[in-house]
Structure formats: C-alpha cells, structure tokens
Amino acid sequence: MKVSTIGNALLLTAILSASPAIALNPVPINKCNSYSSACRNTLISRLSSEQLNPFLRLIQSGTDDREAKNYDRAIQTFQAALQLAQQLNYADGQWSARYNMAQTYLESDNFPKALELHQQNLAFFLQRQEDFDDKTKAPYTLIYISDIYTAQKNYAKAIEALNQALAFIEKLDLLSSSDSKARVLQHLGMNYFLAGNIPAADTNLAASLAAYQNIRKQRVGEQLPQQVDYTYEIEVNRWRQQVLVAQNRFNEALELAEQNRARVFVGLLASRLNSSSGFPATDEAPNIQQIKQIAKAENATLVTYSVIYDFSPQGAFWAENYQKFRATKLLIWVIKPTGEVAFRRSNIVSGNASLQEIVRQARASIGARGIGISVTAARVVNNNRPNTGQTAELKQLYQLLIQPIANLLPTNQNDRIIFIPQDFLFLVPFPALQDSAGKYLIEKHTMLTSPSIQVLQLTRSQQQRIQQEAKGILIVGNPTMPSIRVNPNQPPQQLPSLPGAEKEAIAIAKMFATQPLLGANATKATVLEYLSKARIVHLATHGLLDDIGGFFSSLALAPTDRDNGFLTAREIISLKLSAELVVLSACDTGRGQISGDGVVGLSRSLIGAGVPSVIVSLWSVPDAPTASLMTAFYQNIKSGSDKAQALRNAMLKTMKEYPNPINWAAFTLIGAANSSGTLQAVTGGVAVANNSNTNSTQAVVRYYTVFPVPDNVTDYRESPSLRVPGEVDIFFHSTLSFEQLIDFYRQAYRQRGLTENSGNTRLTKDSAQLVFFGSPNGKRIIIQASEDYLGRGFRSVSVRFE
C-alpha cells in the first residue's frame, strides 16, 4: 500500500489549546447543515462543475472500493482526491478526502491511523475555518474522534471530545434543523451509559431524542420528505431503552420501544382511518395504559422484542443497515390481556455466530431461502423429509426468543399470542421453533404477528369500518405468467406455470360456490377492478421479492398489451380496499426491505390499503402442501374459527402429511385475528366475468395517483406531494438515456389520455423535462431528469404534480 506519511498524532486538547481564539469563536460565514439545499448549493459555488466533478468521481470510486473491501486501492484513490483538492485549494474537499481515508482505515481495524487522520482534519479546520462552507465539520470530526475512543473503551477521552464538540456548537450560528447537537448529545449519552454513569446517560439521551423530534417536526412543517424522519431517532431510542432498563423503568422502556416502530406506517393508517367518518385515529404512540388496553381488546398476550446491538465506530444504526452491526441482547416484554406487564432479557452468547446468522441458519436448516437481497419467483418443489440438522437450529432460536418468557405465555393452546418482532426477527418462523422436547411452538400456541402494538389497534378499527361493506370472494390461480428479465444481459423469461396453484384456486372456489380467475382471465386490470368489491381475496401465483426497497415486491398476473402483469406493492398501497382478509398464497410475500418502519413490501401495502388481516409467506412455498393447507384454512373459516385459529389448525393438519416445516410453517397472519360474521358467511364471487378483454380500471378507487415507472430503476423513494395534498411524488435513478426516458413517459401518458405541453419539453445533454396536462385531479404532471454528476451512468428522475 502506498500511503503518504502523516505526522505524529495530535492530541485533541493540544489542538484546541493551541488556537483558543479559533476554538471559542468560530466564524459563521454560512449557516450550513445536512438538510439544507441552499447549503449544498453553497458547497459547490466556489468551484465549477469541470473542477468539482473529477474530485467527486475520485471520492465515489474510493467509496466503491471500500465497500468492496479493497482497502489498499481505496486509500490510494482518496489520496489522489486529497491531492486534487489541495491543488484546487478546496478546503471542504481536503477534509472529505481525509475523512474517507480515516473511515477506510477504521473498517480495516486500523484505529490509530483513523484517529490520526481525524485529528489532522480537526487541526486543518481550526486553522482554515474561514475557508469552509460547512461549519459542522468541526463537531462531527470530534464525534468521529470520540467514536474511536469509545471502540477502545476509553470513555473518558470520548466524553472529553464530545463536550468540546458541544461547546463548539454553542458558538456556531447553525440552522435549527441541523442535527449536529442531537448527535453529540446522543454520543454523550451512549458513552456515559457504557461508562456506568446511568443518570448522565439518561439526561443526554433524553435531550438528544427531544432534539431529533423537534428536527423531524420542523422538517414536516417545511414539507421535506417524511419517509426518513424517524430514522434519525432509531439509534438513540434503543440506547435509551437500555438506560431505562438499567434503572428498572421497564414500562417506560416499553413505551419507548413502541415509539420506535412503524411510525410512518402508523401515520399512514391513522390518516386514512380519519378520512372515514366515525373512526378517529391518532399517530401518537400509545402509553403504557393504552398498550394494556390494546392487549385486553385483542384478548391476546403481546410479545414485543427489541434488538440491541454492540457499539460500532463505523457509522450510525439506521435499521436498514442492521446487518452491519452485531446483535448482543434482546429486550422482551410480555403484555397479558389482564394488564400484567413482565420484562425479560436474553443475552446472545453463541460462539462467533451473531443473532442474524442464527436466524439465517435456522431458516436454511428447513430449506428456506436465506436472508439477503434477491428477487425470487419460483414456488419450490415439495421436500417432505425434515433435515437432520434443523432440530438444533430451531431449538437454539427457541432458547433465545421463547424460553426466557415461556412461563409467561398462556397455557391454553387456543389463547392467542401476538409477536411484535424487530429487524431480522421478522424473518423468524415462529411456528417452527422447537422446545427442548422437540415440540413445535405451533403445537402449543395460536399465534400471529404485527409490525407494532399500535398497528393492532388500527387494524381492528379497519375491520370495524368494513363490517357492512364487501361480501364476495375473489380467487385468482395460476395466471398466464408474465416475463421477467432475471439477468440484464439476457432477454426476459416467462415465469413457470403453477398447476398446483390452479388446483388450489379451483378447490377453494368450489367451497365458496364461485369461479376463480385462471390463466389469461387473471389480468392485472381485471384483478384491480374487482379487488375493492371482495370480502376475501385469495391470490395463488408467483410472488417477487424486492429486498432492496420493498416498493417493487409484486404479484404475477396475466400480462396484456397495456401492462406487464406485475401488481407491485407501490400500486397496492395506493388502493382503497374493503377486503377483511387477503391471502397471498405465493412466494416470499411476507418479506421485503426490513427497515425501522417494519417490512416494506406486500403485507404492509395491503394493510395500508385498508385490509385488517393479511396472510403472507416467509419463503418460497411448495405447491402440494400449500394447496392442502389453504383448503384446510378456508374450511376452518367457514366452520366459525377466527383467522388465527383457522391458520393454526390448518398448519397442524398439514404437518401430519408433510412433516418438514418448509411445507407448513411459512405462512403468518398479520393484523386482526377475529373474524366477522360476514366473513364466515361469505359465498359467491364478485360478479367477475371470465373475459380476457377486460382492460377497464375505471372502478378502481385509489388513495393517490400511481405514477408509471420504467423497469430496473434503483434508489426509488416516495414522499408526500409538496404541491397537491393527498398525492405522492416519486424519485428514482434510471440507466435509460434522456431520449429513452422521454419516449417512455410520452407513451405511458398518451395511453392514459394525457396531453403533452410541448412548449415545456426540454432535452439537453445533461437534463430533460416533460409536462403533461389532463390528470384526474386537474394538476400538471412534471417529469424532470438530470445527469448524475458523479458520472456513474444513471439519470436522476423526479415525477410530481405541480
């Protein structure tokens, strides 16, 4: 490795004492923070794009090498970036290059070198702070320095650095939306906790959480994208849970754990319920008394897990990046319907295996697909033989997740348990966990899951809302399969037919005296048209998993000349549905992107669309046992069982014929467990005609407009429209050229009957714009695309109303 020589490490106190005037009187040239677009514009105002872009490309190239663990080349690239920034006299760039070198050394476990570079950055800032656009670089550098001391368990040094950062911030004229103070307070609280000073930890973490909440509220008030609002509070929240537990304040810790869950999702459900008269709802997290009331109303024992991770100096915990952190303990609360609340903890001691790895191994032991980023479409071939090694894996998970609370769980096997998992625990097959005697959990208990305790309250309200609405059943089985491009360099391939799913749909349809939608009749347009009229929806088809963003998890339906046949999660969540129960008898329909908001995917979208109860799968499921399980499930529903009991008894029946858990343990019920009288009495279809020419979607009722998106986009995200209440703006990256993007949107919107305002059409070498009139809400639709300034070969695209 060729690395330029760096001098002896500078002591932090020596740096500050050498320049007391600078340290105590920073020059506030610009109010700059990470949320401000004006700040980002200022940062590049001193350099032209021709000067700046080569530097940015070097930073991106080095970052790519670091992520690929090619540390030698990353260091060389960042050194080249540093030399270029020095030639340009670009102070922020020099700081950035050193920071990235430090992070690279940190990831390769060279803490002394990383500390040395951060200390150089601090000295550089103090000497030339008038040349910096971003004044928060000083406190953030002190945070990075403190992180290294924390990793080395030198908490006194870490706290000293953080107190100096706090003093520095007090002298800066920062915008109120800057999160630098919140971050410093958070790290102070973490270090005080690790050092054993619980009162100081509590004070600082509480102040940090309050600061983050104020920032979030301000961002919402300024109409900035809301999807990421709660992510800033995730890490500090989990640290404070530990502090409260250390003080035996278990109920307060439970309230905090619930605050940390599914906040954006809860806000969505509450706002939609409030739009229905008679069902007011709030997005405020419940307090301990309200949590007890929810357990009583559900007549169930609630089990809430909070996953605690080791400190890592390599970055903040965001829930989405949980795989980069090592889980070391579980905090577990059991809330009984009587109002009793009990707390337990589970320390994870399993050799070198992390809890994430234990979950992956348990899934793999029964033949389920592992944790990872993938898109899957095949229902697997039945494997009726249990794997010889699966018992140990499933027993190990039982010991970690269930044994600490086993004596608190109901003894009556018909009494419900509702698990509220977190992070990768959403992937745990709870029914298949085995006690020391080899008995599966499903043999002892009736169970279901929920993203949060509050979601249970909201799904119960959703079920009350639809009591007198839809009454029929919509059954879809083995549609004419669409094609998917598995490899970008190969042509699209048609998904394989599912004859078992067709038999499943026919058998279930006979039970309800109706006809299923099969083959070419099961088009996306037809299914969309009749979804809102069904009390029960059963979809037996391929499921595609999007672990990256979750929005493009989808169900395969018959394609037409108007669409590709894939019904995505982003389309489903825009709908207004009246179904009491949706069963996704497909592959991986319960999975998606795991985030601080739960699992972003098909199940979340259906509940968001108004469905109180959803049954989904956690892995690719075999055809024959799935058909057997689903037939038994509906027989139980028609016999008067609630949804949770119906699923449990169907699992137990299927287990006798197909003992391997891969055949019966994949499905999980999310949401409301009780069945209405209307559900038990459902019979007949929803007047669906077997007409393959059905293309009308006029009957589809939506919460908001779903903008068309080309294939193979990345970094897709949505946010509430800044201009039109109730609508959603979208943003994504695409490798299509500007010409191809224009062609795609011209065709898409002309098919929808919109008119292009050609006077506003723009196409240059590095940008494009299209404007359309004639949308249902009367607003203009604007599509804008720009070249990636880092030269990574994609276009940044936004589609919005204005």
Side-chain angles (χ1 to χ4, degrees), residues 14-32:
I15 292 172
L16 293 178
S17 62
S19 305
I22 294 177
L24 297 177
N25 297 288
V27 182
I29 296 177
N30 292 301
K31 295 182 180 180
C32 190

Side-chain angles (χ1 to χ4, degrees), residues 525 528-533 576 696-702:
L528 279 174
E529 183 174 0
Y530 293 102
L531 268 177
S532 61
K533 301 179 182 179
K576 290 185 177 181
S696 171
T697 58
Q698 296 301 312
V700 178
V701 180
R702 295 185 181 273

